[in-house]
Amino acid sequence: MQKGLLRVASAIDRVNGGFGRAAAWLVLVMVLVGAFNAVARYLGRYVGVNLSSNGWIELQWYLFSLIFLFGASYALREDAHVRVDVLFARVSPRAQSWINIAGTLLFLLPFCAFLIWVSTPVIASSWQVREGSPDPGGLPRYPLKAMILVAFGMLLLQGVAQLIRDVHRLRHGAASTGDVAAAGGAHPPHPPHAPDGV
């Protein structure tokens, strides 16, 4: 049972690793689109032809939205979110696990579930009418809105994966976190830590 849960946590890690790699590539695409928009805007003024469009401009902020949405669960996987608790780094690994468990159960999972619950009717309505941009030449909005459900669903699952590992640490000690790799994970999980200087 325990190894099965660790395998589930590792599988979630692998999926969110894919989301993280996708977000990294989207950064490059967003920069290229932004550069094209800037060049096209000034070159268009020079030649007297509009070389850009609302579609290209919206694509740039659509990509930014996807980077943010896809990067959230990956950042949690890598323990890269900023911690504001100045006491976290000063307590024992066991106390850190308890803090993580409390934060996951009281804040992260309820927040993700609430966002999914309140977003679903809005996104369903958007798909029903095939919502598009109000600007001429703009992009459809409904596919992007659907990514909200995907992103917060993956963030919720990553929270579950973190919860599994923190419970495992409490039961078997911080040194046993390498068991995740033995259970089929791509890498052992990162121990809880606070950013440098906190």
Side-chain angles (χ1 to χ4, degrees):
M1 177 67 176
Q2 184 181 92
K3 287 188 175 180
L5 289 175
L6 291 175
R7 288 192 183 98
V8 169
S10 296
I12 295 170
D13 275 352
R14 287 193 294 272
V15 174
N16 277 320
F19 275 90
R21 288 188 293 274
W25 282 106
L26 288 177
V27 171
L28 174 61
V29 177
M30 183 185 69
V31 170
L32 293 175
V33 171
F36 168 79
N37 281 332
V39 171
R41 185 166 58 251
Y42 288 105
L43 187 60
R45 291 176 185 171
Y46 179 75
V47 299
V49 178
N50 188 9
L51 300 177
S52 187
S53 69
N54 286 330
W56 283 103
I57 295 170
E58 289 186 2
L59 177 60
Q60 188 174 348
W61 66 263
Y62 277 32
L63 291 169
F64 178 81
S65 300
L66 290 174
I67 292 165
F68 171 79
L69 290 170
F70 289 173
S73 57
Y74 180 74
L76 180 61
R77 172 188 185 264
E78 296 298 312
D79 198 19
H81 287 288
V82 175
R83 294 186 185 273
V84 295
D85 185 353
V86 295
L87 300 177
F88 187 85
R90 303 175 187 273
V91 299
S92 68
R94 185 175 180 84
Q96 289 178 348
S97 291
W98 276 115
I99 292 171
N100 283 339
I101 289 170
T104 299
L105 291 176
L106 296 177
F107 299 106
L108 177 62
L109 298 185
F111 174 75
C112 291
F114 176 75
L115 256 294
I116 292 170
W117 179 60
V118 299
S119 299
T120 298
V122 177
I123 294 168
S125 297
S126 180
W127 273 78
Q128 286 176 356
V129 300
R130 297 295 189 267
E131 181 185 3
S133 170
D135 299 317
L139 300 176
R141 295 279 172 89
Y142 63 94
L144 181 66
K145 287 188 175 182
M147 293 301 102
I148 295 173
L149 296 181
V150 174
F152 280 97
M154 293 313 303
L155 185 60
L156 187 147
L157 288 177
Q158 190 61 48
V160 171
Q162 302 294 86
L163 187 62
I164 290 170
R165 279 194 289 270
D166 281 310
V167 171
H168 180 76
R169 288 189 192 101
L170 286 178
R171 295 182 66 181
H172 301 283
S176 69
T177 53
D179 293 346
V180 173
H187 57 79
H190 300 287
H193 66 275
D196 294 339
V198 176

